[in-house]
Amino acid sequence: MSEMPVQIPDDSDFSSFKDQCLSPDGWTSRYSKGGVTVWTRDQENQTVQKLKMRIVCKDVAAETLYDVLHDTSYRRKWDTNMIETYDIGRLTVNADVGYYSWKCPSPLKNRDFVTMRSWLPLGNDFLIINSSVKHPQHPPKKNFVRAVSLLTGYLIQSDGASCSTLYYLTQVDPRGSLPKWVVNRVSQFVGPKAMRKIYKASLKYPDWKRKHDPWVKPWMFPEQNMLQNISASDLTLQRVESLENIDESGVSEEKRHSDDDDT
């Protein structure tokens, strides 16, 4: 199986991602409550999960949401599903490679990703997209299942000086036959809760940032980026078939903690 080279996203990739976020075609609404909407899309490949979410963020400027989603120092304060995240290297002024691991609903195994991330401010919109890549120095880790992001990202749209709308779209192969309850739980509980966490974190971010290196924003000011440069030729696409596939379809649901119902 030949390795596929990595293509850094261009304007057409960002435009296509935005269209997917905004288009209703082919999406089925699964949840709509308290300003959060969740859609899923049936895939021919049943192992691939495709999910789209939207939240209206009153009193949060689009620029603030964009900063929150970029700022890994702040992410550690609000992303309780995250186990570890770190940057691996810089590809261009608006693309890098990083590692992220997250807690799966018990008793499933935890997942991790190595992804190429790209970002683009576009008029009143801000976009961040990622997809999985292979980096020779960051192979799959013990005790994690290496999942594959086929396409994941955020679209932030400005609705005036202090209001915005956030879309999150993900197409992921979790490398495992997941039971139906997991998919349902993500669309009904985990997803909406995550969107509300981002919103709440964004409301608090301006005060936090004033006390924590307020002028440091390497996603806006590339000259501040101290990451080592890496070349796209060092990377290959993370093919799904090259990873271990585990069968968790028979895993039964453990009793949910009350905070999962934070809707």
Side-chain angles (χ1 to χ4, degrees):
M1 183 166 38
S2 61
E3 298 283 13
M4 291 283 290
V6 166
Q7 299 286 333
I8 296 174
D10 59 20
D11 288 359
S12 66
D13 295 303
F14 285 103
S15 178
S16 169
F17 179 79
K18 178 180 174 181
D19 289 345
Q20 287 190 65
C21 287
L22 298 179
S23 172
D25 297 343
W27 293 93
T28 303
S29 177
R30 299 291 184 194
Y31 177 98
S32 185
K33 187 176 174 184
V36 179
T37 310
V38 180
W39 299 266
T40 58
R41 189 177 190 123
D42 290 332
Q43 299 293 109
E44 288 179 24
N45 180 348
Q46 290 301 306
T47 62
V48 173
Q49 308 300 327
K50 197 162 188 178
L51 181 80
K52 179 165 72 171
M53 300 189 283
R54 180 186 67 201
I55 185 169
V56 176
C57 299
K58 296 174 183 172
D59 301 316
V60 175
E63 293 85 353
T64 301
L65 264 174
Y66 187 59
D67 289 348
V68 166
L69 293 169
H70 271 292
D71 196 330
T72 49
S73 298
Y74 189 59
R75 189 173 199 113
R76 294 182 178 94
K77 298 192 69 71
W78 63 265
D79 187 352
T80 52
N81 291 320
M82 182 181 77
I83 298 170
E84 184 182 20
T85 188
Y86 54 82
D87 297 321
I88 294 169
R90 174 169 66 165
L91 290 163
T92 67
V93 292
N94 68 324
D96 63 16
V97 176
Y99 173 86
Y100 179 85
S101 57
W102 54 287
K103 299 174 198 160
C104 282
S106 180
L108 301 179
K109 291 185 176 179
N110 294 329
R111 261 64 176 176
D112 68 356
F113 298 87
V114 172
T115 61
M116 174 178 63
R117 192 177 58 128
S118 306
W119 54 94
L120 187 70
L122 200 63
N124 291 327
D125 299 335
F126 298 86
L127 296 100
I128 305 171
I129 59 178
N130 78 55
S131 57
S132 284
V133 293
K134 282 171 76 173
H135 188 288
Q137 293 169 4
H138 297 272
K141 294 186 176 188
K142 192 180 176 186
N143 301 325
F144 286 95
V145 176
R146 178 63 50 91
V148 177
S149 166
L150 301 170
L151 177 67
T152 297
Y154 300 94
L155 165 67
I156 305 161
Q157 296 202 297
S158 176
D159 300 325
S162 60
C163 190
S164 52
T165 301
L166 172 65
Y167 291 84
Y168 172 77
L169 186 149
T170 185
Q171 187 174 355
V172 166
D173 189 322
R175 299 316 296 141
S177 304
L178 295 177
K180 192 96 178 136
W181 66 262
V182 172
V183 180
N184 290 338
R185 187 169 160 196
V186 167
S187 64
Q188 297 295 315
F189 298 101
V190 179
K193 183 179 175 187
M195 293 296 272
R196 291 192 177 95
K197 272 189 181 170
I198 295 171
Y199 179 25
K200 288 175 185 174
S202 299
L203 288 167
K204 297 174 182 176
Y205 182 73
D207 282 343
W208 181 89
K209 187 62 176 168
R210 271 192 285 273
K211 300 166 191 165
H212 299 83
D213 302 316
W215 307 112
V216 177
K217 295 183 180 183
W219 52 93
M220 287 179 63
F221 309 115
E223 66 276 9
Q224 296 176 349
N225 194 324
M226 297 294 115
L227 285 177
Q228 65 168 347
N229 288 313
I230 57 175
S231 168
S233 62
D234 297 334
L235 309 168
T236 52
L237 280 184
Q238 177 64 76
R239 283 179 173 274
V240 168
E241 309 85 57
S242 68
L243 292 167
E244 177 192 11
N245 192 38
I246 62 168
D247 185 1
E248 294 178 300
S249 57
V251 171
S252 58
E253 183 173 12
E254 292 188 350
K255 190 175 186 306
R256 277 199 308 271
H257 298 298
S258 59
D259 67 347
D260 279 353
D261 292 301
D262 182 17
T263 54

